[in-house]
Amino acid sequence: MNIIVSGGNGQIGSELKAMAPFAQAKVIVLDRDALDITKSKNLRAVFKKFKPSFFINAAAYTKVDLAEDEIQSAYDVNANALIAISDVCNLYDCCLLHYSTDYVYNLNTKQALKETHKTSPKGVYAESKRLGEKNIQALCNKYIILRTSWVYSKYGKNFVDTMLRLSKTHDSLNVVSDQIGSPTHARDIASASIRIIEQLVAKESFSIQEVYNYSNAGKTNWADFARKIFKLAGISCKIHNISTHSYNAKAHRPLWSLLSSAKIRAAYKLDIPLWEDSLNDYLSSTGNIDAQ
Ligand SMILES: NC(=O)c1ccc[n+]([C@@H]2O[C@H](COP(=O)([O-])OP(=O)(O)OC[C@H]3O[C@@H](n4cnc5c(N)ncnc54)[C@H](OP(=O)(O)O)[C@@H]3O)[C@@H](O)[C@H]2O)c1
């Protein structure tokens, strides 16, 4: 059995690459040079060559603010590509595992967001990601959409590394405190993805069309997340709370991003780590605190 991973140089793609092989399959991890998901010819050639049983789409346009200017690129990668991907998956009876984002909700429910909550995306990135989901839901025979939040990994640029870097040149930092959510280690998303595939493969046959939320357990805001990073890493940089409004980013940010992972936890019997524990692992594995 073959499994293809696209976006192999991204945070989640790289974590999957580091865990390969898995599910007793040959895992082919392709970066953008090897597979540009916006090129349907490229997609068809790769599917023809490997005839995958699973296609994990870890490729995405993720520059949230730049997307407001690069509208076409964001839509091509996050939305339009999912039409060709769905078609080619159907042709090879391949199951698509696709990642999406808490940004599709954009609701101030003050309750953990469930997959049954309505979506109300705002901004090019969020809207393009939701359209990608809709394309899959309309066209793909077998799919899993995993919506996740606040992703970090040692393989990419992320909030944790930015805080660590800035702390070297600043005694204090202003960080947004009115966005609520849960940071998620890409390693945990990759593990959960593998666990799901392994359980599907173990069945004689399966059909699936599901949306799941997946984020690390617990709840915080960006300012407290930064405080925890510094506390664990023994850094004395001070954090000042600021509002999303005063940060003045180009793209809209949801204030409430807390995902309920209850559905995926129950369906696949997943142990979902607390965000603080995964952060501790991350900082240990990257040499920012002594491994315990
Ligand atoms: N990061 C977050 O905080 C976050 C939060 C919620 C959900 N998500 C979702 O999680 C998924 C993975 O995110 P991530 O953080 O791993 O993203 P990432 O680190 O930005 O990786 C995305 C990868 O996709 C590649 N890519 C871009 N356009 C492509 C194309 N046309 N063909 C093939 N590859 C292409 C990029 O290649 P280059 O390296 O060449 O640019 C990059 O390696 C995405 O669906 C994202 O929307 C992320």
Side-chain angles (χ1 to χ4, degrees):
M1 181 182 82
N2 287 343
I3 298 174
I4 293 177
V5 179
S6 64
N9 278 342
Q11 298 195 88
I12 299 178
S14 299
E15 296 284 354
L16 287 163
K17 188 175 179 177
M19 292 177 192
F22 46 79
Q24 295 180 314
K26 181 174 175 196
V27 179
I28 302 116
V29 182
L30 302 173
D31 64 14
R32 190 210 291 244
D33 289 340
L35 173 60
D36 181 337
I37 62 163
T38 64
K39 302 218 160 78
S40 53
K41 228 172 138 181
N42 198 179
L43 271 170
R44 283 199 301 273
V46 162
F47 270 70
K48 191 174 176 193
K49 181 167 177 196
F50 296 110
K51 300 183 176 52
S53 300
F54 288 85
F55 182 79
I56 306 180
N57 185 35
Y61 184 106
T62 56
K63 298 181 189 93
V64 175
D65 290 315
L66 200 59
E68 297 296 314
D69 298 316
E70 297 185 349
I71 300 170
Q72 191 61 51
S73 301
Y75 272 89
D76 282 346
V77 181
N78 292 344
N80 302 335
L82 278 309
I83 298 173
I85 290 175
S86 296
D87 284 346
V88 76
C89 280
N90 292 347
L91 201 62
Y92 287 87
D93 191 28
C94 173
C95 179
L96 170 63
L97 196 162
H98 175 78
Y99 300 105
S100 190
T101 168
D102 58 283
Y103 279 38
V104 299
Y105 291 109
N106 189 37
L107 302 172
N108 279 325
T109 55
K110 306 292 179 224
Q111 304 160 6
L113 294 158
K114 293 185 183 161
E115 296 81 353
T116 45
H117 275 104
K118 76 176 171 83
T119 56
S120 177
K122 188 170 172 190
V124 173
Y125 169 73
E127 287 165 21
S128 67
K129 290 297 292 183
R130 178 63 190 129
L131 184 57
E133 293 184 349
K134 282 185 174 172
N135 286 335
I136 294 169
Q137 290 172 308
L139 300 169
C140 196
N141 293 341
K142 281 190 196 169
Y143 69 80
I144 294 159
I145 294 170
L146 285 195
R147 292 175 178 156
T148 186
S149 63
W150 300 17
V151 179
Y152 63 91
S153 152
K154 65 181 170 195
Y155 299 109
K157 284 193 193 132
N158 62 70
F159 181 81
V160 184
D161 293 345
T162 302
M163 289 298 112
L164 293 171
R165 180 170 44 79
L166 290 175
S167 73
K168 292 188 178 131
T169 51
H170 294 71
D171 295 329
S172 68
L173 294 168
N174 294 336
V175 183
V176 168
S177 62
D178 57 357
Q179 293 173 30
I180 311 295
S182 186
T184 307
H185 192 332
R187 175 205 63 180
D188 298 333
I189 304 169
S191 299
S193 305
I194 293 169
R195 189 86 201 270
I196 293 168
I197 291 177
E198 283 172 347
Q199 290 181 43
L200 292 174
V201 167
K203 297 180 182 181
E204 218 162 83
S205 70
F206 67 91
S207 60
I208 188 159
Q209 294 185 321
E210 291 287 352
V211 178
Y212 297 108
N213 293 334
Y214 182 96
S215 63
N216 280 145
K219 169 182 165 191
T220 189
N221 63 66
W222 292 106
D224 286 346
F225 182 20
R227 289 188 181 97
K228 188 73 184 181
I229 295 164
F230 292 160
K231 189 169 178 208
L232 289 170
I235 292 169
S236 60
C237 184
K238 201 165 163 39
I239 302 290
H240 300 295
N241 289 349
I242 59 164
S243 68
T244 299
H245 180 73
S246 65
Y247 186 69
N248 201 20
K250 182 145 193 166
H252 172 80
R253 299 290 194 284
L255 294 180
W256 186 255
S257 287
L258 191 69
L259 300 177
S260 163
S261 302
K263 180 180 168 187
I264 199 168
R265 185 190 289 115
Y268 298 96
K269 299 188 175 44
L270 298 179
D271 258 338
I272 303 183
L274 281 169
W275 72 264
E276 292 99 324
D277 292 342
S278 287
L279 175 63
N280 194 77
D281 290 351
Y282 176 79
L283 292 170
S284 301
S285 71
T286 51
N288 287 292
I289 46 174
D290 295 334
Q292 287 154 10

